[in-house]
Amino acid sequence: MGSRPLRVAAAVLVVAGALGVVLSPLLGETVSEESLWGVEPLAYVGGLLLIAGLAVLTASYALPGVLPGMFGKGGTASGGPAHTPERWSEITQQYFEVFHHDLGRPLSRIVGKERELRAVLEARSGTIDPAVADLLDEIERQGPNFRLMMSNLQVLIQLEAGPAPGRDDAVEPAEVVRKIVERYNAVAGEMGKQITWWSEPAEFGIVYSDGSAIEHIVTNLVDNAVRFAGAQVEVKLTQNPTHFFVRVWDDGQGIPAHYLQHLFDRGWTPESARRDEKVSSGLGLFIAQTLAGRQRGELTVESVTAPDPDHHTGFLLSLPLGSPAGAPSA
Amino acid sequence: MNDARPGGSILIVDDEAASPLVSAVRRGLEKEGWRTVVVEPEEGWRSGEDFEAAALYAIEESRPDGVLLDVRFGDHRDDLFKGLDILRKIVTEHPKLPVLMFTQYTQGPDRETAVRSTLRWDAPVDFIDKLASPEEVVLRLRRLIGTAPEVIRVGARITLNVSTKTVEVAGTLMSEISGMRFEILRELAVAWYRSPGQLVPFATLERYSEGEDARASLRVRVREIKDALGKALGERLGAGDLIINVRDQGYRLVPKD
Ligand SMILES: Nc1ncnc2c1ncn2[C@@H]1O[C@H](COP(=O)(O)OP(=O)(O)OP(=O)(O)O)[C@@H](O)[C@H]1O
Ligand SMILES: [Mg+2]
């Protein structure tokens, strides 16, 4: 509770600072044409306000209780004994949860307004100009992107917090896959691509595993596949007496053999290998493989590159079928 | 008659029911033929408590087929997860009523798992990210409520009646599509209705074929279905239209509007 006014104040500082910087060419006065300092003072003041505001905002999230009295649940972690690493990672996680939540808010505004705009345009003229529709689609596409990035960061923090045992809840893998495909359907459609999924057997049944880990791994694979596919993405679920498998396949250009060995490295993307500007974070596959390992499974890749007419990339996730909590695993 | 969703109603319980995100979902539901009833905050309501009472009252009053419930009510700390209390109440008092719960923005799976473990395992409850597209929400509710419709509309002009085992194109009965051909089309339409991206593998379809070469016989039947539908639609249905073979794994429906 007590941290709220502080955050609001900090946010006001940030906004005021940003405004100062942006408006300085219009409002400010140049002090001296010659010197390096010949820029509007307003820009400096704005910049300082911006930095100060951001700093307070960050501190209010990262160090709750370190400034006792100023923050609501003050004292939870203040002063006293030195923080153990576990304690810190717990704080980081809590911090991230709140942060996560607050980041979701502007995103939901953006996406919400975009949908509203679409509805208004449609109501007004019956159809939407294709060029405008493309722009709206582009905004909409960033939604899943952003969500995946946020949850990747969250999982990464959990992974950094140290080893946690795998889970063995009752999970319906077909349901998990179905939901992911539904989430990416619109995005794929807008890019002129198609996602197809199925399971064999058709009634796939239940496994004992970690549902959110499976969801996270497959979401990363589908996200990549949709991005790199030519036109088709396939997700197929199968099982044998001990394991179940999720294969995510796309008909894209394929991944060159010399890249495959780095694919699962943390932060690796082909741009980083070529020293080009990175366009994505390169965290997805690292996280996916780490999570698979935690569940006593694995994640492997196989790819054929163009110009071979059969060019494609296939990721195979295999996880043990598991057994109900408490029962000895086979 | 019995359309994709005949006059069913969905109760929406959300303190931001007027927000663009929720309005988009409402529009999506109404476009599909659902009625929506909204529990809106009234003057003088202090907190989630009031919402809880109003939601339970509205369920008694309007007997909805399903409930769309937000997890969060207001900014008050105590109300951050008020939706979970409301959920538990609904599940206790109406154990068969399907509830789709919005989780906040991007924070999902772990909380879902936690909540799920406090409910009866067979409670018809599901969770969805608040940023999900309206189509996704509609699909999820549709499945959660679970009654397979008797009539499935495939695209704008094809209708499949599961109980009379008939197919109509723009109102004209297709006598050619009966028997095994009807069963094949039904399998494909039901899978598509439940989950638009779902393929029906050969293993499932082969029971509707005969002779030594089941795949070949299936291929012939699918061709016959497409020819008949194409004729009635006045267009030639090619390999990539309506019923497609996905890399020799099975068939799926890709209707156009
Ligand atoms: N299906 C695929 N086809 C072709 N290249 C792929 C495929 N999947 C992954 N890659 C390559 O592997 C790289 C690493 O993938 P990874 O998912 O780890 O990170 P990313 O997608 O770049 O970023 P993010 O952290 O957002 O997932 C990608 O940048 C891409 O070049
Ligand atoms: Mg990725």
Side-chain angles (χ1 to χ4, degrees):
Chain A
M1 278 257 283
S3 62
R4 180 159 282 281
L6 190 77
R7 284 185 192 150
V8 172
V12 171
L13 279 188
V14 171
V15 173
L19 274 176
V21 172
V22 172
L23 296 179
S24 59
L26 307 172
L27 301 178
E29 247 172 73
T30 303
V31 174
S32 145
E33 295 290 330
E34 313 302 306
S35 83
L36 185 66
W37 303 96
V39 200
E40 293 81 358
L42 190 60
Y44 283 111
V45 176
L48 284 176
L49 282 179
L50 189 71
I51 291 165
L54 280 176
V56 175
L57 210 55
T58 310
S60 81
Y61 281 116
L63 312 166
V66 169
L67 308 172
M70 296 186 89
F71 294 97
K73 290 164 87 186
T76 37
S78 61
H83 296 297
T84 61
E86 295 84 63
R87 183 82 194 101
W88 269 116
S89 55
E90 203 181 297
I91 293 173
T92 318
Q93 277 189 43
Q94 285 168 359
Y95 150 62
F96 191 77
E97 257 196 37
V98 182
F99 194 44
H100 209 189
H101 187 99
D102 284 2
L103 275 178
R105 226 189 270 265
L107 181 64
S108 73
R109 289 267 154 77
I110 296 169
V111 174
K113 297 288 178 210
E114 170 262 316
R115 289 178 190 164
E116 198 68 20
L117 183 59
R118 211 186 275 265
V120 168
L121 289 175
E122 229 159 23
R124 201 160 286 169
S125 56
T127 53
I128 302 183
D129 180 339
V132 176
D134 273 355
L135 294 176
L136 294 176
D137 288 350
E138 176 61 32
I139 300 175
E140 182 83 34
R141 253 204 300 281
Q142 296 308 318
N145 245 345
F146 194 89
R147 282 150 77 188
L148 180 60
M149 206 172 84
M150 296 305 299
S151 56
N152 269 344
L153 286 175
Q154 192 170 27
V155 173
L156 197 64
I157 290 172
Q158 279 163 10
L159 290 175
E160 306 265 281
R167 308 174 56 118
D168 44 16
D169 306 321
V171 180
E172 273 182 279
E175 218 33 53
V176 176
V177 167
R178 188 201 306 273
K179 286 177 186 172
I180 296 170
V181 171
E182 279 169 14
R183 184 173 330 146
Y184 276 89
N185 241 335
V187 173
E190 283 154 14
M191 297 167 88
K193 303 175 187 182
Q194 211 167 47
I195 315 178
T196 302
W197 80 275
W198 70 100
S199 74
E200 289 174 12
E203 294 299 329
F204 199 78
I206 283 176
V207 303
Y208 295 91
S209 190
D210 179 342
S212 63
I214 300 173
E215 179 180 339
H216 201 77
I217 297 167
V218 178
T219 302
N220 268 296
L221 299 179
V222 170
D223 183 86
N224 286 343
V226 167
R227 193 143 35 100
F228 293 104
Q232 297 293 336
V233 174
E234 288 171 24
V235 187
K236 177 182 177 182
L237 262 170
T238 52
Q239 54 181 283
N240 71 17
T242 59
H243 286 73
F244 70 100
F245 308 91
V246 187
R247 195 206 52 177
V248 179
W249 182 98
D250 71 75
D251 63 353
Q253 296 295 300
I255 305 171
H258 60 279
Y259 280 167
L260 287 180
Q261 53 184 334
H262 303 294
L263 209 60
F264 297 100
D265 292 352
R266 180 175 171 166
W268 185 90
T269 70
E271 298 80 31
S272 62
R274 291 192 302 261
R275 296 174 182 275
D276 286 350
E277 190 191 345
K278 253 185 158 183
V279 291
S280 56
S281 68
L283 289 176
L285 290 175
F286 164 75
I287 291 174
Q289 197 175 52
T290 311
L291 283 176
R294 271 209 183 174
Q295 293 299 124
R296 290 161 290 127
E298 50 183 313
L299 177 62
T300 55
V301 61
E302 148 287 305
S303 189
V304 171
T305 50
D308 190 315
D310 180 35
H311 58 86
H312 69 265
T313 302
F315 284 87
L316 184 68
L317 169 69
S318 39
L319 293 173
L321 291 174
S323 45
S329 57
Chain B
M1 228 189 63
N2 198 358
D3 207 332
R5 189 56 222 176
S9 74
I10 305 287
L11 182 73
I12 299 177
V13 187
D14 190 329
D15 63 337
E16 297 173 337
S19 74
L21 277 184
V22 181
S23 319
V25 167
R26 267 185 89 176
R27 273 195 300 275
L29 286 169
E30 282 161 11
K31 207 151 82 189
E32 267 239 338
W34 301 86
R35 250 178 338 104
T36 57
V37 180
V38 181
V39 175
E40 280 179 288
E42 281 170 24
E43 207 64 43
W45 284 16
R46 285 169 308 102
S47 63
E49 295 291 324
D50 301 304
F51 256 106
E52 181 174 299
L56 291 168
Y57 178 76
I59 291 173
E60 296 288 345
E61 237 354 53
S62 65
R63 298 264 151 208
D65 297 79
V67 178
L68 193 57
L69 173 68
D70 196 11
V71 72
R72 184 161 198 251
F73 288 86
D75 276 328
H76 194 279
R77 263 233 171 291
D78 298 342
D79 288 339
L80 280 192
F81 298 107
K82 184 67 200 170
L84 300 180
D85 294 340
I86 303 182
L87 176 66
R88 265 176 224 120
K89 284 260 168 61
I90 296 178
V91 171
T92 316
E93 291 180 21
H94 307 273
K96 294 226 165 77
L97 182 60
V99 183
L100 182 60
M101 181 152 205
F102 277 131
T103 52
Q104 272 307 312
Y105 313 123
T106 52
Q107 81 186 192
D110 286 340
R111 188 146 288 130
E112 278 176 38
T113 317
V115 176
R116 186 158 279 299
S117 65
T118 70
L119 299 172
R120 277 171 52 101
W121 68 274
D122 59 346
V125 172
D126 201 357
F127 299 86
I128 193 161
D129 188 311
K130 200 155 189 181
L131 282 167
S133 67
E135 294 78 22
E136 224 181 308
V137 177
V138 171
L139 265 171
R140 209 62 97 65
L141 267 172
R142 200 200 241 181
R143 240 191 352 264
L144 195 62
I145 293 173
T147 45
E150 290 190 359
V151 174
I152 304 177
R153 276 184 200 286
V154 177
R157 290 188 286 167
I158 304 171
T159 353
L160 217 84
N161 190 318
V162 180
S163 50
T164 60
K165 295 187 186 258
T166 51
V167 180
E168 286 180 13
V169 173
T172 314
L173 202 68
M174 307 278 307
S175 54
E176 301 95 315
I177 304 179
S178 58
M180 297 284 200
R181 283 188 287 267
F182 179 83
E183 295 304 326
I184 293 170
L185 189 57
R186 183 187 54 79
E187 287 277 359
L188 296 174
V190 169
W192 166 80
Y193 178 82
R194 279 176 48 80
S195 177
Q198 194 172 355
L199 165 140
V200 184
F202 283 126
T204 307
L205 291 174
E206 273 167 3
R207 72 182 83 136
Y208 308 115
S209 62
E210 63 209 342
E212 302 250 303
D213 191 344
R215 299 259 166 117
S217 135
L218 199 57
R219 207 175 312 129
V220 172
R221 293 223 151 106
V222 168
R223 187 68 258 165
E224 290 166 352
I225 298 171
K226 285 174 79 162
D227 284 345
L229 290 174
K231 213 161 103 196
L233 290 166
E235 55 186 296
R236 212 196 108 69
L237 298 177
D241 300 319
L242 194 63
I243 303 173
I244 61 173
N245 174 332
V246 180
R247 293 197 317 127
D248 266 338
Q249 303 281 337
Y251 288 99
R252 67 171 275 203
L253 223 51
V254 282
K256 279 190 300 216
D257 297 314

